[in-house]
Amino acid sequence: MYRFSTPRRRPALARALITSTCAAVLGLAAGTAHAQEKVLRIAMTAADIPRTLGQPDQGFEGNRFTGIPMYDALTHWDLSKADAPSVLVPGLALSWAVDAKDRTKWVFKLRPDVKFHDGSTFNADAVVWNVRKVLDKDAPHFDASQVGVTASRMPTLRSARKIDDLSVELTTSEPDAFLPLNLTNLFMASPAHWQKKFDAAAGATPTDKSRAAWTAFAADASGTGPFRMTRFVSRERLEVVANKGYWDPKRTPKIDRVVMLPMPEANARTAALLSGQGDWIEAPAPDAMPSIQARGHKIYFNQQPHVWPWQLSFAEGSPWLDKRVRQAANLCVDRTGVLKLLGGMMGVPKGTVPPGHPWWGNPKFDIKFDPEAGKKLMAEAGHSPAKPLKVKVQISASGSGQMQPLPMNEFVQQSLKQCGFDVQFDVIEWNTLFTNWRKGAKDPSANGSNAINVSFAAMDPFFAMVRFTSTKAFPPVSNNWGYFGNPEFDKLIADARTSFDDKARDAALAKLHARIVEEAPFVWIAHDVGPRAMTARVKNVVQPRSWFIDIATMTME
């Protein structure tokens, strides 16, 4: 199914937004470590270094490159297998269990003898401190800037209480079987290191000193992860080195230093790899993949739970309120054409999860390319190519998981035109788009858009479905940008969230997924396969069936 496309002309929108690449490419060659070090140079799709203070931004590219390498969470995703879906495994917590009598309380048993990069000890106090940094506005170290990228990913967590040095109790607002999965997003920063920054910070008030402390912490971070920060220059580079005292011998790095550089334009990333100034590039230009392979470099990709959609608005006046229009759009997208555009580097979706998945549910609406059926639905709704329906989509020029957003969106625009859609775009910077995603379709940041193109990970029930269909996830709580939801969906979600038995939970999620596909609050366009290109010098690469990847287990020749 996966094949490489022949070169094609860049769409006008893409050509207009190509950025200057010289400085970025030169940056790959400058300022790295001594020649004897084993140095891995990575070109990211982000336009800036994801935040380094513990809770990354830039979408899940932030988790991949500044979260997982430098920090740990209580629970981790198993990224060690390429031939099976990633599952939840112990991280800084050895085990966890929900209270049989009160299912809003969980006890996590912590891993002993773990040290932060600054030498301080990880324990229950550190867990409580890290929960309070994003949930407790009265905490001296509360940081509002970290709330949006954290609380929206674990919306039921309310508090943490120390039981003893290696045991902590977490409390949720309601019974929530998804909590252990959500906690993969809460990275543990060093309280002792932050306190030193706070004590040294200038500021007229404790709040001012706290902000200054977090700024200083971001430039000199301390987590417990397999790599520790050594150099950080905003919008230019992040350098991390191996933490030889890491608690997991299997993930103690053999690569000495990793240099990460923001490079949002695909051609710039490709040029960096082909010129020998980079070792690893995210989302290479599809047209260049044959040249990349001809030079002896390797292309890695795999099935992964990651969806590239348009998320639709259900706010008053939205053109998507008519289900016939939503279903028509899903029938009028030529996904095989998008597949060819990407050189075969995508999966063709039938929904958020594929047929055969435990959550599939056999929906009655079939997502496929059937423009005649789409035109019929549009005609019933009063629209045609002669009388088109105007829609506006907010998109980015690059970014984490956005694949090749400009040519992909242009292709979809033309594909939908035949069915009577007049598609306009509002193109903004990726991290701004990601921020707007939490503000919602009713916020001025939508700029009149009634759809938004933000790709999303779908590896757990909350990320895949709940945050887009629950009325409790309306902005700014989580990512229900379009305000889709009703009592039926809230009941389906409650059935799944309160099912602590795996089979019962899967059955409830299957019902939820079937109804989502039938109601079509998205235009499902692609499943990402996470293509990345690396030089042959990079060894022991495992491309898991996950949005994430583990740098710690790789080696360099």
Side-chain angles (χ1 to χ4, degrees), residues 413-424:
Q413 179 187 49
Q414 293 303 311
S415 192
L416 292 180
K417 186 176 182 180
Q418 65 178 319
C419 289
F421 288 91
D422 179 4
V423 179
Q424 298 178 342

Side-chain angles (χ1 to χ4, degrees), residues 14 48 97 141 180 208 283 285 309 311 409 419-420 423 465 502:
D48 196 1
H141 60 289
D208 292 338
Q311 186 177 354
N409 275 300
C419 289
V423 179
M465 294 182 278
D502 289 346

Side-chain angles (χ1 to χ4, degrees), residues 329-344:
N330 276 288
L331 293 171
C332 291
V333 173
D334 180 7
R335 296 171 184 82
T336 301
V338 182
L339 179 73
K340 292 177 180 178
L341 174 72
L342 296 176

Side-chain angles (χ1 to χ4, degrees), residues 454-471:
V454 179
S455 63
F456 65 86
M459 66 282 203
D460 72 65
F462 177 75
F463 275 82
M465 294 182 278
V466 172
R467 59 180 172 156
F468 306 121
T469 58
S470 170
T471 60

